[in-house]
Amino acid sequence: MFSNDLIKPTHFPKDFSWGVATSAFQIEGAANEDGRGTSIWDSFSHTVGKVMDGGTGDIACDHYHRYAEDVAHMAALGVDAYRFSIAWPRVQALGYGAWNEAGFDFYTRLLDALDAHKIAAHITLYHWDLPQGLQDQGGWLQRETAYHFAIYAEEVARRFGHRVASIATHNEPWCTANLGYGNGQFAPGVVDTVAALQVSHHLLLSHGLAMQAMRALPISAKLGIVLNQWTAEPASASQADQDEAAWEYARSVQWFMDPIFKGHYPKRALDRMDLTRFVVHDNDMGIIQQKIDFLGVNYYFRAFVSTENPARKPEAALGLTDMGWEIYPQGLRDLLIGLKREYDEFGLPPIYITENGAAFPDQLVAGLVHDSDRIAYLQMHLQALVQAREAGVDIQAYFYWSLMDNFEWNSGYLRRFGLLYVDYATQKRYFKDSAFWYRDFILACKEA
Ligand code: FCB
């Protein structure tokens, strides 16, 4: 059903936004420069055994010093939008207290460079790099952190809200809660599923508080949140598998969507959770349920659920990426159509695909990377997106993850998602074949 030659430039409207995405910790480096504070990912990645190759964010892609070159690469790609995140500890070392002007200056320089190339900035306030200063006070398990986040959000919006296209509060709060606290694979590395539940609530609360604070400002940026989402599909038609799939969808996708759009947690999820240490204050759900101007959706794979054999994997007819993730473009289409079906009546705003992309074992040979697998991945996911648009889903932007190879969290530098290949020894960037394909496709869309 998905084929890599079916996608055509005429399938996209002229005003569709084409972009690339990154996040601060994964690319910036300059970890100890200009007053940047320590983040939980600095602490975590410097702890032996946490990151597969022992990689850290100390240098990463050295984007802090090479941002001008990187923006020039974006211009060469022809993208009209760039999604990146602000490193909270760079602009407020401890997460509370004094603002760091040198940190803000970096983002001003970056925004100036983007402006010069007419590339719209889409910023994310929290892409996982909590200031260690706040972690030392309990981090996201501590309710107070949500209030600190709102102060930070307001300050960034006050400074940049008139010149960026959008501001997202969080990136993938599901991951912050469940990988940071549930299985401990991500910083701060806590293994406690009940704590993860509380963290997810504080993240949502912080989103609501930040939305309220930013809304009060005279800014033009659209405001929203970025969620990682998947379809959950039963391995068989059995009632048990179907129920399990519905529960999986409830505890991941609806867990964040329902509070924002409906003002309550999904009952199906609550029914099966340990709520002994789950504290929700009286007005919290009202604070969380704020109108958002866009919903950012990150899509990589589907969830596949078998009660008989929980370890069972889907057949993966289109193969796996270097992350071991199933290539399943149909899930993107089904997910988007499902979101419209369920949330339209609750005010679902336009959707931006804020992340989608794949890691493959790229080889740099004579300055070239022949990543036909990534081109096929892109084409099939764009095709899924077109199908969702044809079914009436309002999707206005697509951001490929990522502009360039970078620090892939607990996989370190072993997984390459970029359109640009980064040679970490020299910090030289090379356009992969997929970058040329994306460039040509974007251009054709503009001219179609
Ligand atoms: C997402 C993250 C992003 C990147 C991709 C591969 O979950 O938001 O930073 O690591 O996965």
Side-chain angles (χ1 to χ4, degrees):
M1 191 186 318
F2 283 89
S3 126
N4 54 8
D5 55 8
L6 291 177
I7 186 79
K8 298 211 165 41
T10 48
H11 292 146
F12 291 90
K14 284 234 166 20
D15 60 358
F16 191 84
S17 272
W18 294 101
V20 285
T22 64
S23 91
F25 190 82
Q26 295 177 274
I27 64 166
E28 284 181 4
N32 299 308
E33 271 176 66
D34 297 337
R36 176 185 178 279
T38 303
S39 83
I40 55 173
W41 267 96
D42 293 302
S43 313
F44 189 78
S45 60
H46 278 274
T47 307
V48 173
K50 299 295 186 190
V51 175
M52 278 160 64
D53 61 350
T56 70
D58 291 1
I59 299 171
C61 303
D62 195 32
H63 172 75
Y64 189 77
H65 300 114
R66 294 167 197 263
Y67 72 91
E69 176 195 338
D70 289 335
V71 172
H73 289 315
M74 291 177 221
L77 277 172
V79 296
D80 40 42
Y82 175 45
R83 172 175 180 248
F84 62 98
S85 76
I86 308 274
W88 187 352
R90 199 179 280 293
V91 300
Q92 190 181 35
L94 296 172
Y96 54 85
W99 303 112
N100 179 27
E101 292 305 325
F104 278 116
D105 288 349
F106 166 67
Y107 296 106
T108 299
R109 291 196 295 279
L110 174 60
L111 289 173
D112 289 346
L114 291 167
D115 279 353
H117 289 285
K118 296 201 171 48
I119 298 172
H122 292 260
I123 64 180
T124 302
L125 294 170
Y126 188 77
H127 203 124
W128 307 351
D129 43 359
L130 188 76
Q132 184 64 40
L134 283 179
Q135 187 63 38
D136 294 343
Q137 301 187 353
W140 287 112
L141 203 44
Q142 185 63 250
R143 189 178 167 89
E144 203 50 32
T145 299
Y147 292 85
H148 289 298
F149 177 75
I151 294 169
Y152 155 63
E154 182 177 9
E155 184 65 16
V156 174
R158 200 176 59 69
R159 291 174 184 246
F160 299 140
H162 60 286
R163 60 179 303 192
V164 300
S166 82
I167 303 178
T169 52
H170 283 278
N171 176 71
E172 305 191 348
W174 181 93
C175 293
T176 308
N178 293 288
L179 307 182
Y181 284 80
N183 66 16
Q185 280 177 5
F186 284 6
V190 177
V191 183
D192 179 345
T193 50
V194 187
L197 208 58
Q198 189 64 54
V199 164
S200 71
H201 180 67
H202 289 158
L203 292 168
L204 278 165
L205 177 66
S206 76
H207 161 77
L209 292 167
M211 289 296 297
Q212 288 179 331
M214 293 191 290
R215 277 286 183 231
L217 301 170
I219 55 175
S220 52
K222 295 212 174 0
L223 306 178
I225 188 168
V226 172
L227 303 175
N228 56 307
Q229 301 192 333
W230 41 67
T231 50
E233 300 181 24
S236 80
S238 76
Q239 194 59 46
D241 279 1
Q242 290 191 38
D243 288 350
E244 192 69 11
W247 139 252
E248 166 54 36
Y249 190 72
R251 64 184 283 269
S252 53
V253 176
Q254 292 168 320
W255 185 258
F256 292 94
M257 289 292 283
D258 283 14
I260 292 170
F261 290 99
K262 303 178 181 174
H264 57 77
Y265 284 105
K267 186 169 177 311
R268 192 195 291 274
L270 289 173
D271 281 351
R272 275 179 55 178
M273 282 169 162
D274 176 358
L275 304 175
T276 46
R277 284 189 283 142
F278 187 46
V279 182
V280 177
H281 289 198
D282 278 352
N283 296 326
D284 287 1
M285 301 316 289
I287 294 171
I288 295 168
Q289 192 183 10
Q290 303 291 320
K291 175 187 169 295
I292 56 175
D293 306 320
F294 72 94
L295 173 70
V297 171
N298 292 356
Y299 175 80
Y300 289 96
F301 47 76
R302 65 170 156 172
F304 185 77
V305 175
S306 162
T307 46
E308 250 174 41
N309 176 9
R312 185 170 154 195
K313 298 264 184 275
E315 274 168 34
L318 295 171
L320 303 175
T321 71
D322 209 19
M323 297 293 284
W325 296 347
E326 181 192 14
I327 300 173
Y328 192 66
Q330 188 181 327
L332 175 59
R333 178 193 64 191
D334 297 347
L335 168 75
L336 293 167
I337 292 174
L339 291 179
K340 180 176 163 69
R341 195 187 312 123
E342 186 175 357
Y343 295 100
D344 233 9
E345 62 176 300
F346 297 99
L348 183 72
I351 290 174
Y352 303 162
I353 306 302
T354 34
E355 283 182 32
N356 172 241
F360 289 109
D362 302 315
Q363 299 298 326
L364 180 71
V365 180
L368 298 172
V369 179
H370 299 307
D371 58 341
S372 53
D373 36 17
R374 186 171 286 102
I375 296 175
Y377 180 99
L378 246 166
Q379 292 172 330
M380 290 189 288
H381 285 80
L382 291 178
Q383 192 192 346
L385 199 154
V386 166
Q387 291 174 355
R389 280 178 52 87
E390 282 167 356
V393 188
D394 185 6
I395 307 150
Q396 300 189 350
Y398 177 87
F399 294 83
Y400 179 79
W401 182 272
S402 177
L403 165 68
M404 57 188 161
D405 298 337
N406 57 48
F407 176 78
E408 178 46 35
W409 307 114
N410 60 334
S411 302
Y413 295 96
L414 299 175
R415 302 286 175 268
R416 296 179 175 273
F417 276 89
L419 292 174
L420 272 59
Y421 183 98
V422 177
D423 176 351
Y424 295 108
T426 61
Q427 288 294 350
K428 205 165 150 29
R429 284 86 159 116
Y430 298 85
F431 272 45
K432 301 178 190 176
D433 285 357
S434 56
F436 293 117
W437 182 85
Y438 197 46
R439 178 197 65 185
D440 292 348
F441 189 75
I442 294 172
L443 189 65
C445 288
K446 308 262 173 214
E447 288 173 348

